[in-house]
Amino acid sequence: MGIEWVVIILSSAYLGLLFVIAGWAEKNANKQWLSNPYIYALSLAVYCTAWTFYGSVGRAANQGLDFLTTYMGPILMAPLFWLVLRKIIRICKAQRITSIADFISARYGKSLFLGAFATIICILAIIPYISIQLKAISSSFRIFSADVAGSKGLFFNDSAFYLMVILAVFTIFFGSRKIDASQKNTGLITVVAFESLFKLFAFVVLGFYVTYGLFNGFSDIFIKSSELPYFERLITIDPVDGYGDWFWLNILSFLAIILLPRQFHVAVKENNDENHLKKAIWLFPLYLFLINVFVLPIALGGNLLFPGNSVDADTYVLVMPLAQGNTFLALLVFLGGFSAATSMIIVSTSALSIMISNNLMIPGILRSEFLSKKLNPQLNKVVLRGRQLMIVVMLMLAYLYYKYIGQPFPLVSIGLISFVGVAQFAPSAIGGMFWKGGNYKGAIASLTVGFLVWMFTLVLPTIVNAKLIDATILNEGLLGLSWLKPQAFLGVDFSNNVSQGFMWSILCNGLAYVGVSALTSQSIKETNQAEVFVDIFKYSTVYESAIVWKGQAFITDIKNLLSMFLGKRRTDLAFERFSDRNAIEQGTIEADFRVVNFAEKLLSGAVGSASARVLMSSVVKEEEIKLEEVFNILQETQRYITDNKELKKKSVELENAGVKLRQANKELTKLDELKDEFISTVTHEMRTPITSIRALSEIINDNEDLKTEERAKFLDTIVEETKRMERLINQVLDLEKMESGKLEIPFSTIHLNDVANESVRKVKQLISEKGIALSTNLHGKLPLVKGNRDRLVQVILNLMSNAIKFCDNSNGEITITTSTRNGSVELSVSDNGPGVPKDSQKLIFEAFYQAKNQTLKKPEGSGLGLTICKKIIDKHEGSIWIENGAESGAVVAFSLPKLKL
Amino acid sequence: MSKKVVTYLTVIFVAFALALHYPFIAIANKPILVYGFPAFLIYLTCVWVLLIVVGFLVVRKGTSDDTHGY
């Protein structure tokens, strides 16, 4: 079995795999993970065709870095995806636009003529482009089969013919499944994403093989090839003409990444979620980077291995592994190039088929009375079958072009000429998206001028080169006028034909667009569309009311029209949902403008916006609208949107206020409860001393014969209890003052160590009496703090007296430590008592906590000490807390903010 | 993504469009090898990688702003 059979079997198996993947993806189309940003970003890489795969290396080997201009534009567009592409996506979703031709036609008042014109430009530009993919596949196939005759044989001997048939079947199956073209083709997109991964993989594997297998890394190739005579030209841009070419070709690819029908198809029509653009902003340039890293090394390596142009540089990627006997790698590379070509063909033909059916076929049928009568009953079938037929026709045309016209051209030149063709949409499409003044006449002028200059400067020389017409026009100029030479238009001679053709066409085109738009006026329908396109982010939520329409229409008529294309079931369902959403009553007979706009939008998905317009006007009776009315209604819509926003804002504010009120009420109730509780606790605490004072006083009063010692003891107790009461009352008053904010605490700059020392001095006597060991551990370089010395002494004393109370009875230990942490100064008092249970550590600062907690043995003290401490520390903007020591005991600590200098 | 992030993205576009064209590219457009690599290629690679990294960081910022409800 010859190698060519292996290639045939492998490519058939590969195509089979594509069918399997597409079928599987269609089955799982509703799964969330199939619509992810990675698949979206990979599908954008349909940009890299066989031209990238074979042609980039060829161009790099002959012309050097010039090949990068195809990728510089797209990576510069990537940061603008969110600004530009998102706007296109939003517009197309609102109006169910499915192709670039529809987009232009819709912007300028849904013009049939503009749509048809744009479609024809697309066909002329893209068919040769598809044909070079076929050419790339068949010439790569010929490298294996060594069949030099190749395409000269009859079509049934030609591999490209069979490939075309299989691709037609595939595209019909997965690219034109649904009548509503605005629905997503998950299978198709998944396959495109898979092919993008595959071609990248194949190219990178080959790159590694050449760079590290055939040579010793990048620098080895560069150093070795620096001996090639033209090396300097390959690694730089020509400083005389190069910068201009570089600039214009970058702009060309910058526009192509948005305007090419296949890019529009994957980036806009098949977009599921605007947010996917975010990942694409960096992922797409990354993909282009990876697929280009090895291009120059492979090209230079090829020049080194095959000196003197013995091998066509376009085929280096295959010939290099084959010459080393590495057939397996060569097969992988072949499949990589194959995948690059097939994905481009599949997407381009399905995009073109929709374009043709929307802008040429359906308008044609509607115009011809005979056809529309005959086809009326099954128009939906006609649309779908027509699209499928167009896929076959497009592929046939591409095949014929490849076989009979396109042979003599290298891959790159045809690709670039196609780019220039679609770039002619830039002024009318992108300009119309940001400039309301652009109008229909301007768009017609722009496309006509751009198209003519393109044909003249770029397409004409190709036809001459193919020897279809005489070369005199190239040498002597049109009508013998030397300033009308196609390759030196207006007498300016560029080194690079493509950049000069692009420059002249886009400049004349842009000028015509701006000039004619400025000098002429817009129709009313156009003004409306211009408004909606440019300000789409204002209107996309209320799209149906943003299109101004006046007239009379009946819902039944509209429904009948729609069900001709969408089927009865889908039409009913769509209407039901729309009526629900817009509160339109069931059984309404007459359609209002919202229904008309909604129906037109639905229809646009199936037949394109221009045809939808024609169809709708056949079932509704429209009235002339005045320009003022359009503006009035648009203003009203805008006011409605802003009012709505205001209203929403107000209601959110109201809700927030309500929540706050409820919270405040809750707090008040809680405070009230706390107050009650506080009063009852205070009175309870006061009753105990009063009871004992009263009891003792009564005893003294009733028993005059009491012994002096006993009397003295009782009186002592009375004094003690009175003191206790006084203390309690003082503390309650203190607390009350602090809570009401009446208490002023004057601050001064103090050193916390001094405060600690003073406090220690005050209790030293008492501590030594109780036999407790007191130690201090003061930080040597403690920062200063702002605070009130007396109040802080009060806090420390309180903490120490608590420590004394809870200390171990026999050998108590108390430590006072000062330290700094994170810009604050800390002081802690630790003891070796029983510690505080974890769940009480927060509650302990509440008033009368110890009183409430009956399980604790009640020690002396009012129960307000820690609460007051917390208040004082709060006034210092510090914090106080309690935790248990490392071994035993409690540590009460507070921190104060460091003095800011 | 917030208006600010969109502004960042536009600024990135302008900055990189300048970096990838004359006169900036003329700085590196010299027929010399630096450590075995053509000078111009090194320049283009750096700019390209930077574009990817900056794009990634800005989008990540925009996305995290979104999830925090700005």
Side-chain angles (χ1 to χ4, degrees):
Chain A
M1 191 171 73
I3 180 85
E4 67 264 27
W5 281 105
V6 178
V7 174
I8 290 172
I9 291 168
L10 264 183
S11 19
S12 316
Y14 180 82
L15 288 172
L17 180 67
L18 295 191
F19 272 90
V20 172
I21 292 174
W24 167 81
E26 273 306 332
K27 243 184 230 155
N28 295 296
N30 48 1
K31 302 256 167 73
Q32 202 63 58
W33 49 266
L34 261 180
S35 111
N36 68 54
Y38 297 99
I39 289 189
Y40 179 72
L42 280 173
S43 75
L44 293 183
V46 71
Y47 183 70
C48 301
T49 62
W51 171 22
T52 303
F53 210 84
Y54 299 111
S56 279
V57 170
R59 203 164 152 202
N62 294 321
Q63 285 157 269
L65 294 172
D66 173 61
F67 79 95
L68 281 174
T69 51
T70 312
Y71 308 97
M72 289 293 145
I75 65 168
L76 285 177
M77 180 55 93
L80 295 183
F81 277 176
W82 193 254
L83 198 72
V84 179
L85 210 47
R86 189 169 74 112
K87 192 165 187 183
I88 304 182
I89 292 173
R90 193 59 82 80
I91 293 170
C92 292
K93 279 212 176 114
Q95 304 223 352
R96 302 229 172 175
I97 292 168
T98 48
S99 69
I100 182 74
D102 263 20
F103 187 81
I104 293 173
S105 135
R107 163 63 178 80
Y108 301 98
K110 308 199 174 177
S111 141
L112 278 176
F113 177 74
L114 260 181
F117 193 7
T119 306
I120 290 170
I121 295 181
C122 279
I123 297 173
L124 290 176
I126 303 303
I127 297 280
Y129 199 175
I130 297 177
S131 88
I132 60 173
Q133 308 297 320
L134 290 174
K135 179 179 166 185
I137 294 176
S138 85
S139 50
S140 60
F141 179 65
R142 235 174 301 142
I143 284 173
F144 287 97
S145 65
D147 161 25
V148 197
S151 64
K152 291 207 182 75
L154 283 170
F155 70 84
F156 48 83
N157 281 332
D158 189 354
S159 53
F161 178 77
Y162 294 102
L163 176 72
M164 189 201 79
V165 173
I166 298 176
L167 288 181
V169 172
F170 183 90
T171 317
I172 288 170
F173 255 96
F174 295 105
S176 64
R177 295 163 67 86
K178 293 151 192 152
I179 170 95
D180 182 357
S182 63
Q183 284 188 319
K184 312 294 171 213
N185 291 305
T186 315
L188 184 92
I189 288 306
T190 314
V191 161
V192 171
F194 166 77
E195 298 211 278
S196 293
L197 266 187
F198 188 83
K199 69 195 173 201
L200 178 66
F201 171 73
F203 201 82
V204 168
V205 168
L206 175 80
F208 267 103
Y209 171 73
V210 171
T211 317
Y212 295 101
L214 303 183
F215 295 90
N216 287 320
F218 286 99
S219 51
D220 182 42
I221 297 185
F222 291 127
I223 289 167
K224 274 188 184 144
S225 49
S226 62
E227 267 139 53
L228 293 172
Y230 41 81
F231 178 67
E232 292 194 350
R233 189 167 56 81
L234 295 189
I235 60 160
T236 53
I237 300 179
D238 174 15
V240 183
D241 292 324
Y243 293 131
D245 290 340
W246 176 268
F247 172 76
W248 286 108
L249 293 178
N250 282 349
I251 296 191
L252 176 61
S253 59
F254 178 76
L255 298 175
I257 192 66
I258 299 280
L259 299 171
L260 276 172
R262 68 171 188 281
Q263 293 305 136
F264 196 93
H265 198 80
V266 291
V268 179
K269 178 192 165 287
E270 295 287 351
N271 175 279
N272 281 315
D273 183 350
E274 280 173 10
N275 286 318
H276 290 174
L277 284 173
K278 291 182 194 166
K279 279 250 158 50
I281 286 175
W282 58 272
L283 211 54
F284 185 54
L286 178 63
Y287 183 96
L288 294 182
F289 181 77
L290 293 176
I291 208 160
N292 276 302
V293 161
F294 289 106
V295 171
L296 198 61
I298 294 174
L300 291 173
N303 283 350
L304 285 171
L305 291 178
F306 312 108
N309 288 344
S310 54
V311 170
D312 178 9
D314 275 354
T315 62
Y316 276 174
V317 291
L318 284 174
V319 178
M320 284 169 92
L322 273 181
Q324 308 293 323
N326 201 332
T327 320
F328 176 76
L329 182 60
L331 287 173
L332 179 72
V333 171
F334 169 80
L335 282 183
F338 189 70
S339 69
T342 50
S343 57
M344 184 275 175
I345 296 176
I346 292 167
V347 179
S348 294
T349 43
S350 55
L352 276 183
S353 75
I354 294 172
M355 227 186 269
I356 295 172
S357 107
N358 284 356
N359 294 294
L360 295 176
M361 208 176 67
I362 297 167
I365 294 174
L366 295 178
R367 284 222 168 159
S368 137
E369 246 172 63
F370 168 74
L371 275 179
S372 56
K373 261 200 195 121
K374 197 162 161 89
L375 297 174
N376 208 3
Q378 65 279 68
L379 264 177
N380 61 336
K381 270 205 191 111
V382 173
V383 173
L384 202 57
R385 293 281 168 268
R387 251 184 241 160
Q388 295 168 349
L389 180 72
M390 280 310 132
I391 290 171
V392 178
V393 171
M394 288 300 106
L395 281 168
M396 273 311 279
L397 285 176
Y399 176 71
L400 293 174
Y401 184 94
Y402 144 75
K403 210 162 159 61
Y404 297 109
I405 305 174
Q407 284 298 339
F409 310 115
L411 295 181
V412 166
S413 61
I414 292 186
L416 278 177
I417 291 170
S418 296
F419 270 35
V420 180
V422 294
Q424 303 310 322
F425 297 141
S428 45
I430 298 179
M433 212 164 70
F434 292 99
W435 181 41
K436 286 180 195 169
N439 68 20
Y440 173 70
K441 289 169 196 127
I444 295 270
S446 132
L447 286 190
T448 315
V449 170
F451 176 72
L452 289 178
V453 179
W454 171 61
M455 286 298 269
F456 185 68
T457 56
L458 291 174
V459 182
L460 192 67
T462 1
I463 302 175
V464 174
N465 282 346
K467 300 205 168 54
L468 294 176
I469 44 174
D470 195 64
T472 47
I473 191 167
L474 281 196
N475 303 325
E476 290 165 24
L478 185 67
L479 307 171
L481 297 169
S482 66
W483 56 275
L484 276 183
K485 280 188 204 165
Q487 285 165 328
F489 193 62
L490 302 181
V492 182
D493 205 350
F494 257 60
S495 66
N496 185 317
N497 287 336
V498 176
S499 58
Q500 80 117 21
F502 170 63
M503 180 189 79
W504 285 124
S505 59
I506 202 74
L507 288 181
C508 299
N509 177 331
L511 215 59
Y513 177 69
V514 177
V516 175
S517 295
L519 293 174
T520 58
S521 57
Q522 275 176 332
S523 76
I524 290 156
K525 180 81 198 166
E526 246 187 279
T527 312
N528 199 172
Q529 284 293 80
E531 181 77 21
V532 174
F533 266 56
V534 176
D535 289 333
I536 184 68
F537 292 107
K538 266 193 229 156
Y539 293 116
S540 55
T541 47
V542 286
Y543 170 74
E544 276 87 10
S545 3
I547 305 293
V548 181
W549 181 85
K550 238 172 95 184
Q552 202 182 25
F554 296 101
I555 287 191
T556 353
D557 292 344
I558 294 177
K559 269 191 169 173
N560 284 342
L561 174 70
L562 276 182
S563 47
M564 250 184 337
F565 290 93
L566 305 177
K568 196 165 163 30
R569 210 175 54 85
R570 271 196 57 197
T571 310
D572 286 343
L573 200 70
F575 262 81
E576 217 170 273
R577 281 201 200 135
F578 183 76
S579 309
D580 276 356
R581 214 172 47 228
N582 291 282
I584 294 168
E585 268 178 52
Q586 285 259 308
T588 313
I589 297 171
E590 216 170 302
D592 66 0
F593 65 102
R594 288 173 304 176
V595 177
V596 173
N597 288 326
F598 172 68
E600 192 171 321
K601 177 172 122 177
L602 276 186
L603 214 48
S604 297
V607 299
S609 33
S611 312
R613 186 87 276 282
V614 175
L615 283 168
M616 283 307 290
S617 52
S618 72
V619 294
V620 301
K621 214 173 90 193
E622 291 182 342
E623 283 167 29
E624 274 293 317
I625 324 166
K626 286 193 205 103
L627 194 60
E628 294 138 48
E629 285 178 88
V630 173
F631 280 121
N632 284 343
I633 294 182
L634 284 178
Q635 262 169 16
E636 216 160 275
T637 313
Q638 279 197 24
R639 203 174 312 133
Y640 163 75
I641 298 168
T642 28
D643 284 359
N644 213 3
K645 263 189 200 148
E646 282 282 294
L647 218 67
K648 250 188 206 154
K649 221 170 102 190
K650 282 266 150 65
S651 82
V652 168
E653 274 168 20
L654 216 68
E655 207 168 292
N656 285 344
V659 169
K660 270 186 201 146
L661 260 175
R662 265 198 297 280
Q663 236 167 16
N665 190 29
K666 227 185 206 169
E667 266 163 36
L668 267 178
T669 325
K670 208 175 142 196
L671 268 182
D672 214 34
E673 276 168 17
L674 279 177
K675 207 112 203 166
D676 286 350
E677 211 179 294
F678 185 76
I679 290 171
S680 79
T681 319
V682 168
T683 41
H684 174 81
E685 289 292 304
M686 287 173 88
R687 207 172 57 199
T688 325
I690 286 184
T691 317
S692 71
I693 290 170
R694 195 180 139 196
L696 292 173
S697 322
E698 275 175 2
I699 292 173
I700 295 172
N701 195 32
D702 295 349
N703 305 294
E704 278 171 14
D705 51 343
L706 213 61
K707 279 184 199 156
T708 327
E709 300 156 30
E710 263 179 312
R711 182 184 290 261
K713 201 174 130 203
F714 284 169
L715 282 174
D716 250 8
T717 316
I718 290 175
V719 171
E720 272 305 308
E721 291 293 309
T722 329
K723 272 186 188 163
R724 186 165 144 194
M725 260 181 75
E726 196 188 338
R727 219 169 30 234
L728 179 68
I729 291 168
N730 278 341
Q731 283 185 336
V732 170
L733 286 175
D734 238 16
L735 195 64
E736 207 278 324
K737 264 193 219 155
M738 280 188 207
E739 265 182 355
S740 62
K742 276 181 206 150
L743 189 72
E744 293 273 318
I745 305 183
F747 279 7
S748 58
T749 308
I750 50 172
H751 203 291
L752 205 56
N753 283 351
D754 296 346
V755 185
N757 283 330
E758 189 188 330
S759 317
V760 168
R761 261 200 310 281
K762 284 193 174 170
V763 283
K764 213 165 193 172
Q765 186 62 32
L766 178 70
I767 283 180
S768 59
E769 274 170 15
K770 293 219 169 188
I772 295 170
L774 174 73
S775 59
T776 52
N777 183 9
L778 302 182
H779 190 276
K781 289 177 181 165
L782 205 65
L784 295 173
V785 291
K786 259 216 171 326
N788 183 294
R789 193 183 178 101
D790 293 343
R791 288 288 168 182
L792 287 176
V793 168
Q794 184 189 348
V795 171
I796 299 173
L797 283 179
N798 192 288
L799 299 187
M800 287 177 75
S801 72
N802 277 342
I804 294 168
K805 264 181 262 168
F806 289 103
C807 240
D808 202 281
N809 276 337
S810 47
N811 40 13
E813 280 173 26
I814 294 177
T815 314
I816 297 179
T817 313
T818 55
S819 58
T820 90
R821 188 197 308 182
N822 294 340
S824 58
V825 179
E826 268 182 36
L827 183 142
S828 64
V829 178
S830 53
D831 61 52
N832 60 345
V836 180
K838 248 202 157 67
D839 46 347
S840 308
Q841 285 179 0
K842 278 220 173 100
L843 303 169
I844 210 159
F845 294 101
E846 272 179 32
F848 301 114
Y849 173 72
Q850 67 169 1
K852 277 179 248 163
N853 199 329
Q854 298 300 325
T855 55
L856 278 179
K857 196 182 115 201
K858 189 167 173 177
E860 51 185 299
S862 64
L864 287 174
L866 280 174
T867 315
I868 291 173
C869 288
K870 186 168 172 8
K871 292 275 174 217
I872 292 174
I873 297 297
D874 284 350
K875 284 256 177 199
H876 283 78
E877 288 170 1
S879 57
I880 185 165
W881 66 92
I882 188 161
E883 58 196 16
N884 282 335
E887 287 165 23
S888 68
V891 181
V892 193
F894 64 84
S895 75
L896 301 175
K898 196 165 80 181
L899 183 68
K900 281 191 190 97
L901 296 173
Chain B
M1 293 200 279
S2 65
K3 276 224 171 83
K4 208 170 176 185
V5 175
V6 177
T7 314
Y8 287 161
L9 288 169
T10 317
V11 171
I12 291 174
F13 161 71
V14 174
F16 280 88
L18 287 176
L20 287 173
H21 288 94
Y22 186 81
F24 291 95
I25 48 172
I27 300 168
N29 189 19
K30 310 242 159 67
I32 45 169
L33 293 184
V34 179
Y35 300 110
F37 289 85
F40 193 39
L41 207 60
I42 296 178
Y43 177 80
L44 289 181
T45 310
C46 291
V47 174
W48 199 326
V49 170
L50 202 65
L51 177 107
I52 297 166
V53 172
V54 172
F56 172 76
L57 292 177
V58 169
V59 168
R60 198 177 58 170
K61 185 181 168 0
T63 319
S64 70
D65 285 357
D66 289 350
T67 47
H68 289 100
Y70 284 95

